[in-house]
Amino acid sequence: MSGTSLDGLDIAYCSIAEFDDGITYKILAAETIPYDADWVSRLSTLENASALDYALADVELGHYFGRCVCAFRQRHPGPVDFIASHGHTIFHQPQRLLTTQIGDGDAIAAETRLPVISRFRNLDVALGGQGAPLVPIGDKLLFSNYDACLNLGGFSNISFEACGERLAFDVSPCNMALNMLASMNGQPYDMDGLMAQSGRVDDVLLAQLQSLDYYAIPAPKSLGKEWFVESFQPLLLNDSISVEDRLRTIVEHVALQVSSVLNQNHLHTMIATGGGAKNAFLVERFKALAPHCRITVPDHLVVDYKEALIFALLGYLRVQGRSNALRSVTGAVADSVGGVISGIAPSAIS
């Protein structure tokens, strides 16, 4: 799993078992491999590169992912049935039937000599869906003891049951905005939200953020980097407001958007995961604005690797030919079995 916040490559070694009463999981081992400065620079600007540079990045990132998996397996040996790879999103424009995640599955298979399942989002988009979020089917199958599941990555997204169906959508930007501002103070992220906590909400900036058109669109809906760069980021580049005040304002904006969903849908329990769940101040603001919802931040493996775990589950469902993308979540014309399988014939494996 590689997220829009560019924290690094998440690798999780997962065991999935199915019984009459449902599916269980274990995260046997997990690591995050940070991107070096070259990959951060390359991935953060790739949407503006040439077609050749884009194609090369797709293949080269796949080989890099494969080498990372091989090194991970040396540190954490054990049997592996397949690799499920989300890849790294560059373009996400479902209204144009387009979504792209680079990190070529064939390149990963060549490096690892293992079957690889990738391109999970494309079929759903081809069927008229958003291609995102895909994690909610894992929320439904693995975390049904919570009313809602919130992931705080580059964007915040939420899923919950309503009228007998799973609903989910991207709520707002999150770490993509917070990390960008923290970097202006020479930090990769705002540890525990301390910089934000030292600032004050700028009412004008907050009003501008709250009035963005995206928030008036009904679900299903999803966000991509293009929207962030065009619509959200320019509002953050106001040097007349201190970095601390901008961080404080973003925290309030995210908390207002999330708490609005919780309050409007009468959700009483929620699990929060992703890097933003480690931002203690952000979680405090959720609790303050949605006091009737009990918010749980689980152990660090689930916080950091829930998305990687669920993509392993999506791979498991793909291998079995079972739906792993829900039309109730994405808006597609039908549920679908997404994912392209790359593999190597057994006779070719030495």
Side-chain angles (χ1 to χ4, degrees):
M1 180 77 202
S2 177
T4 50
S5 55
L6 286 173
D7 294 334
L9 176 66
D10 290 343
I11 305 177
Y13 182 28
C14 304
S15 171
I16 293 172
E18 192 161 7
F19 304 96
D20 291 340
D21 59 348
I23 297 176
T24 64
Y25 72 89
K26 291 181 181 178
I27 299 176
L28 304 174
E31 295 181 15
T32 297
I33 314 299
Y35 287 120
D36 63 24
D38 288 341
W39 271 120
V40 169
S41 175
R42 195 173 178 185
L43 293 174
S44 63
T45 59
L46 194 60
E47 69 271 18
N48 299 315
S50 69
L52 177 60
D53 287 340
Y54 174 89
L56 285 171
D58 181 25
V59 172
E60 290 171 9
L61 190 66
H63 282 285
Y64 173 71
F65 283 175
R67 292 192 296 272
C68 288
V69 169
C70 289
F72 176 90
R73 292 193 67 203
Q74 288 185 337
R75 295 189 292 272
H76 308 286
V80 174
D81 296 300
F82 61 82
I83 296 167
S85 178
H86 171 270
H88 186 85
T89 299
I90 300 300
F91 299 110
H92 184 68
Q93 300 176 26
Q95 72 279 7
R96 303 174 71 179
L97 302 181
L98 172 69
T99 189
T100 66
Q101 286 75 42
I102 65 169
D104 180 52
D106 290 312
I108 300 172
E111 292 284 349
T112 61
R113 301 296 197 267
L114 289 167
V116 175
I117 307 167
S118 61
R119 292 171 57 87
F120 282 95
R121 301 187 185 275
N122 298 70
L123 177 58
D124 183 83
V125 170
L127 290 168
Q130 293 287 307
L134 295 185
V135 166
I137 194 167
D139 294 340
K140 181 182 179 73
L141 295 175
L142 301 182
F143 298 96
S144 60
N145 51 322
Y146 296 96
D147 291 344
C149 297
L150 177 71
N151 186 71
L152 299 166
F155 298 103
S156 66
N157 53 69
I158 195 167
S159 84
F160 54 92
E161 293 288 321
C163 301
E165 289 189 313
R166 196 77 187 182
L167 300 183
F169 51 92
D170 286 337
V171 180
S172 70
C174 188
N175 295 341
M176 186 176 284
L178 295 172
N179 292 355
M180 186 189 82
L181 290 170
S183 70
M184 296 178 184
N185 274 359
Q187 300 297 321
Y189 57 91
D190 184 7
M191 175 74 75
D192 289 329
L194 294 177
M195 280 191 282
Q197 196 168 10
S198 71
R200 295 184 177 182
V201 172
D202 185 282
D203 292 331
V204 173
L205 175 57
L206 181 62
Q208 291 174 325
L209 296 170
Q210 292 289 103
S211 64
L212 287 168
D213 291 345
Y214 177 79
Y215 301 119
I217 300 171
K221 57 183 179 177
S222 61
L223 290 167
K225 183 182 176 183
E226 299 97 318
W227 178 87
F228 176 82
V229 170
E230 293 171 6
S231 301
F232 201 92
Q233 183 173 289
L235 299 176
L236 304 185
L237 302 178
N238 185 346
D239 292 338
S240 66
I241 306 173
S242 72
V243 169
E244 289 77 10
D245 287 357
R246 279 178 276 176
L247 280 165
R248 177 66 184 88
T249 305
I250 294 299
V251 165
E252 196 67 12
H253 171 64
V254 175
L256 283 167
Q257 292 298 327
V258 169
S259 63
S260 176
V261 176
L262 298 176
N263 294 332
Q264 289 175 16
N265 292 281
H266 309 291
L267 301 169
H268 298 293
T269 59
M270 182 178 76
I271 182 173
T273 59
K278 300 177 183 179
N279 186 322
F281 182 57
L282 179 60
V283 174
E284 281 179 19
R285 294 306 300 151
F286 293 152
K287 293 177 178 178
L289 294 172
H292 302 296
C293 184
R294 186 173 73 253
I295 298 170
T296 299
V297 178
D299 68 79
H300 76 95
L301 279 177
V302 177
V303 165
D304 289 339
Y305 300 103
K306 175 172 172 269
E307 282 196 291
L309 162 69
I310 290 182
F311 270 86
L313 174 66
L314 297 183
Y316 170 80
L317 295 173
R318 170 65 182 88
V319 167
Q320 297 213 344
R322 293 157 61 182
S323 295
N324 57 9
L326 301 175
R327 64 180 180 84
S328 64
V329 168
T330 69
V333 297
D335 293 351
S336 61
V337 185
V340 173
I341 300 177
S342 305
I344 298 170
S347 60
I349 301 176
S350 58

